[in-house]
Amino acid sequence: MNPLSRFGSAGRDAALFLTLACFWGTSFVAIEVGLPYFPPMLFAGVRYAAAGAIILAYAAVTADRLLPRGRDEWTSVLVAGGLIIGAYHGLLYLGQMHVPGAVSSVVVSLSPVLTAVFAAVVLSESMDRFGVLGFLLGIAGVVVVADPDPANLLSADILGVGLVFLGCVTFALGAVLTRPLRVTLPTESMQGWAMLLGAGILFVASFARGESPASIEWTLPAVASLAYLTLVSGVVAFLIYFTLLDRVGATEVNLIGYLEPVVAATVSWAVLDHVVGAQTLVGFVAVFAGFALVKRDALRARLGLGDPAAPASHGYDAD
């Protein structure tokens, strides 16, 4: 491959990566802005029903195929819709009823660590003691963010962090489970069906929780939040996500989680006047250090610090 061509491809991937970080980082703040006016499950369901319909309409015009074919493609839709869209966002929205968006983004930054662990378990890849240590360090970081009080383990903050953490687990698991599947369905079609399936799951959960559309308050902040989450963080961002997932792999694309807290904290401070505390920052550093241990060889290679003659990896590499 021509070196200039390879550099151009890497530059495009980096630009997509940074754009996705901005779109998803600001989404935590947009959710926080909209939640006072929407029931959480219904909020997420409306967002993805609208986004899915838009993307499927786009796919009908631009893609060469709209419907999934074969077991792998239908399985991919079910996994993406059930875990990446439905379960993750339902738990995220419920969690953000109790903790700020910037804190949620720090918890979600554990996703790359969980992705590496799930890939080791599900895809039968090895993980050495440094990988295990990295996983434990990441979990410790989330515990620091939650700051559990032994006398009150059911506090709102702990509940919120716990719900977001469970959502992070479902997202990482979904990203890994889709990797071995042989899928030729265009990304737009795949994403549209996954969003509609996820929206259906969210609507069922909303009904089970007793949420009512009549409780929605259609204020200007509510409409702005829903529009941004649907069009920018939903339609555009997920197209970018699945494109990067195909090009660089689940673990690398989930590094987005380490830029999201920076974006979320900055926008949260600018828009909502929220300041991230020192303990949350310590937790974030611990999570990042955990991932650095899990993916130390891959990170060294990408930074040009590895020995070219050395074995490819002593730990786990999801690629």
Side-chain angles (χ1 to χ4, degrees):
M1 178 183 291
N2 186 308
L4 291 178
S5 174
R6 183 164 56 187
F7 177 80
S9 177
R12 286 191 294 272
D13 288 346
L16 289 174
F17 188 91
L18 292 173
T19 301
L20 184 58
C22 290
F23 288 169
W24 275 355
T26 51
S27 72
F28 291 97
V29 181
I31 292 170
E32 187 174 353
V33 169
L35 274 174
Y37 310 103
F38 291 93
M41 292 292 189
L42 189 57
F43 189 10
V46 170
R47 169 190 177 183
Y48 280 105
I54 293 170
I55 287 181
L56 273 186
Y58 174 77
V61 175
T62 63
D64 57 10
R65 184 156 60 92
L66 191 62
L67 293 174
R69 285 198 299 244
R71 183 172 62 181
D72 277 9
E73 289 188 353
W74 282 109
T75 300
S76 186
V77 169
L78 290 173
V79 171
L83 295 178
I84 295 176
I85 302 296
Y88 166 64
H89 288 90
L91 290 164
L92 174 65
Y93 279 56
L94 286 174
Q96 279 204 218
M97 294 179 68
H98 306 288
V99 294
V103 172
S104 293
S105 68
V106 172
V107 178
V108 171
S109 70
L110 183 64
S111 178
V113 178
L114 293 173
T115 299
V117 172
F118 282 132
V121 174
V122 176
L123 304 181
S124 301
E125 297 284 349
S126 62
M127 177 177 285
D128 63 11
R129 63 183 182 276
F130 288 103
V132 174
L133 178 60
F135 170 67
L136 294 176
L137 190 57
I139 295 296
V142 172
V143 172
V144 169
V145 172
D147 189 22
D149 179 1
N152 186 16
L153 292 178
L154 296 179
S155 67
D157 286 351
I158 296 176
L159 176 61
V161 169
L163 288 168
V164 175
F165 172 76
L166 289 177
C168 180
V169 168
T170 66
F171 189 97
L173 180 60
V176 169
L177 289 177
T178 58
R179 284 178 53 205
L181 300 175
R182 302 186 61 171
V183 174
T184 59
L185 184 67
T187 300
E188 298 88 342
S189 302
M190 178 68 69
Q191 183 186 2
W193 290 117
M195 284 185 170
L196 290 180
L197 173 61
I201 293 171
L202 290 164
F203 285 140
V204 170
S206 174
F207 176 79
R209 294 187 75 247
E211 297 178 357
S212 170
S215 63
I216 298 174
E217 300 177 36
W218 292 104
T219 63
L220 180 59
V223 173
S225 171
L226 181 60
Y228 183 85
L229 289 167
T230 299
L231 299 175
V232 178
S233 298
V235 175
V236 178
F238 266 89
L239 284 174
I240 295 173
Y241 170 76
F242 282 110
T243 298
L244 287 173
L245 189 64
D246 287 339
R247 293 176 65 164
V248 302
T251 301
E252 275 67 28
V253 75
N254 279 328
L255 276 171
I256 211 80
Y258 295 118
L259 287 182
E260 288 175 23
V262 177
V263 175
T266 302
V267 176
S268 184
W269 168 76
V271 175
L272 303 175
D273 200 27
H274 290 173
V275 178
V276 173
Q279 187 160 330
T280 298
L281 292 176
V282 170
F284 172 68
V285 170
V287 172
F288 180 79
F291 181 81
L293 279 174
V294 171
K295 291 286 292 179
R296 67 194 184 282
D297 290 334
L299 292 173
R300 288 179 64 192
R302 289 181 182 275
L303 292 172
L305 301 176
D307 180 359
S313 175
H314 299 289
Y316 171 70
D317 187 346
D319 288 339

